[in-house]
Amino acid sequence: MSATLAALVADLAAGRLRVVDLTQPLGPATPVIELPPIFGASPPYSEEVISRYDAQGPGWYWKTIHLGEHTGTHFDAPVHWVTGKDLPNNTTDTIPVERFIGPACVIDVTAECVLDPDYLLEPEHILAWEATHGRIPAGAWVLLQTGWSKRSDPAEFFNADENGPHTPGFSKAASELLAYERDILGVGVETVGTDAGQAGGFDPPFPNHTIMHGAGKFGLASLTNLDQLPPTGAIVIAAPLKIVDGSGSPVRVLAITE
Ligand code: MN
């Protein structure tokens, strides 16, 4: 075994490294994004039991599940957005698997989001974070820590009024900086999607999806436990199901950290 892998095994066994689950539970209560009614809707998660040690299967338990690709803690592939539709290896089954693993850069804007639920990360905030923690490396997962995963009530999670949802996200310029100048793997958020709640009205609409996926980058939505990670130093593993021609997938996101 390589020294690196041997050290990983030893450090995990000794508790010098630990695995943090960045994933929300997936079930009928999982909140699903709501779009204006003119658009197609992603269904809520549903399930039925095939057998549970009964006449349908006396020795075994299993279920059928029904859900959209973008349900709960999930992965957005570049093909999810029209800007990424013609890129090579843009689907869940064709993305090179090395790209599912990368160092985490956690940008904590929780305090800002308490004051402003429509908070947008701007380039100046990224540069200020880098002045303290160092430049975001190529191939990093950039995780926006907003505290939003603490909102267990769906009404508070979506935080919608007559003008639509009010949840934080990234400005167009911040998305461009991360995609083009830092060459990250993608962004991860605690909210239901990688764009801000009001982003349907931005120019362009949904700028994070538009820019990230157009640049072949990924998204991770509905993350939790980001407050258990250091700003730098953790590694994130986020591997979607190998759905053929998949636009995304529910995913178990794990972080390995000191
Ligand atoms: Mn999605």
Side-chain angles (χ1 to χ4, degrees):
M1 182 185 284
S2 83
T4 304
L5 291 178
L8 175 64
V9 170
D11 284 355
L12 285 169
R16 288 185 293 270
L17 293 174
R18 65 192 185 101
V19 181
V20 177
D21 191 355
L22 305 186
T23 318
Q24 294 277 15
L26 180 62
T30 296
V32 176
I33 194 167
E34 293 179 18
L35 300 180
I38 59 168
F39 300 120
S42 187
Y45 173 102
S46 62
E47 63 183 27
E48 62 192 62
V49 173
I50 301 170
S51 72
R52 192 158 190 162
Y53 330 119
D54 53 22
Q56 299 299 316
W60 51 93
Y61 165 50
W62 52 347
K63 296 187 286 194
T64 300
I65 60 174
H66 182 245
L67 72 172
E69 289 175 325
H70 299 251
T71 302
T73 301
H74 73 271
F75 183 100
D76 287 359
V79 76
H80 178 44
W81 220 251
V82 63
T83 48
K85 72 182 179 65
D86 296 323
L87 296 175
N89 301 323
N90 60 355
T91 57
T92 48
D93 56 325
T94 58
I95 295 166
V97 294
E98 295 80 8
R99 302 190 68 206
F100 297 145
I101 304 175
C105 294
V106 183
I107 302 178
D108 181 9
V109 295
T110 304
E112 291 86 338
C113 293
V114 170
L115 299 173
D116 178 13
D118 293 312
Y119 174 86
L120 295 180
L121 191 77
E122 296 285 356
E124 68 201 65
H125 305 130
I126 297 170
L127 297 176
W129 183 93
E130 288 184 328
T132 303
H133 302 292
R135 185 180 169 97
I136 295 170
W141 285 110
V142 172
L143 307 180
L144 188 64
Q145 181 186 342
T146 58
W148 224 257
S149 59
K150 311 285 189 197
R151 295 182 175 225
S152 53
D153 176 353
E156 292 183 15
F157 183 68
F158 290 117
N159 198 37
D161 63 14
E162 66 278 11
N163 297 315
H166 295 275
T167 60
F170 303 85
S171 75
K172 173 175 180 278
S175 302
E176 290 171 336
L177 171 61
L178 294 171
Y180 304 150
E181 297 178 39
R182 296 297 183 272
D183 193 23
I184 64 172
L185 283 180
V187 296
V189 298
E190 296 182 50
T191 46
V192 75
T194 55
D195 265 295
Q198 290 287 296
F202 292 179
D203 181 20
F206 307 106
N208 192 266
H209 283 84
T210 298
I211 292 159
M212 284 289 155
H213 298 328
K217 312 306 185 190
F218 314 136
L220 297 171
S222 294
L223 298 175
T224 188
N225 293 329
L226 296 185
D227 54 358
Q228 296 187 31
L229 301 184
T232 64
I235 288 177
V236 166
I237 304 168
L241 298 177
K242 202 169 182 175
I243 299 170
V244 175
D245 202 28
S247 76
S249 154
V251 63
R252 191 73 179 254
V253 184
L254 303 178
I256 303 175
T257 187
E258 284 188 50

